[in-house]
Amino acid sequence: MLSEASINYPELRTAIGKADNVLLKNGETPVSEILYPKALTTDEWSKAQEAINHTANTQPVLAAAEAGLYAIINRRGLNADSFIGHSFGELVALWADGVMDYETLIAMAKKRGTLMGKTDPDAAM
């Protein structure tokens, strides 16, 4: 997911790195390990795919990825007067509009995904 963009755009790498720091500070698995697992065997790869599909992991990954993509387009001069999001995208839209800081976005994404997973243990994105 977005591996070529991560290689070519430092804004995306920065967003992922910042998300890693938020999650590590709270004792959570960093986004980069979920998004780009170091899987060597077929079994490890299967486990990595399962991990990214758990909503508690998917949501902070999406927040970091969307924030990084926003930074890429914003740095190139594309700006918006307002933002809108659907479902999970509402959190990122609020962040992009300056309602919350990046650390809050990542923490809320993790908490939202964790709570959704508790409601339905088979919940996936």
Side-chain angles (χ1 to χ4, degrees):
M1 182 174 156
L2 299 173
S3 59
E4 287 187 30
S6 290
I7 292 167
N8 293 301
Y9 295 99
E11 299 93 340
L12 185 53
R13 290 192 304 275
T14 298
I16 292 168
K18 286 180 178 180
D20 282 355
N21 291 336
V22 172
L23 295 174
L24 285 168
K25 184 168 54 171
N26 295 316
E28 304 287 348
T29 303
V31 164
S32 59
E33 284 184 24
I34 297 165
L35 191 54
Y36 307 116
K38 297 175 181 140
L40 303 174
T41 67
T42 303
D43 186 48
E44 288 171 331
W45 181 251
S46 294
K47 287 180 182 178
Q49 291 300 301
E50 286 177 28
I52 199 167
N53 287 326
H54 288 286
T55 188
N57 295 330
T58 307
Q59 293 196 20
V61 167
L62 281 175
E66 291 173 14
L69 292 172
Y70 172 74
I72 291 168
I73 63 169
N74 188 258
R75 186 166 183 162
R76 279 142 187 85
L78 298 170
N79 300 301
D81 294 327
S82 59
F83 298 88
I84 189 168
H86 177 267
S87 189
F88 177 77
E90 293 168 354
L91 288 180
V92 180
L94 288 168
W95 165 78
D97 202 31
V99 173
M100 68 179 86
D101 63 21
Y102 190 71
E103 186 170 324
T104 302
L105 168 65
I106 299 301
M108 285 182 71
K110 181 65 179 180
K111 187 67 168 180
R112 182 180 189 270
T114 300
L115 291 172
M116 286 177 71
K118 286 182 180 178
T119 303
D120 180 1
D122 295 323
M125 293 185 74

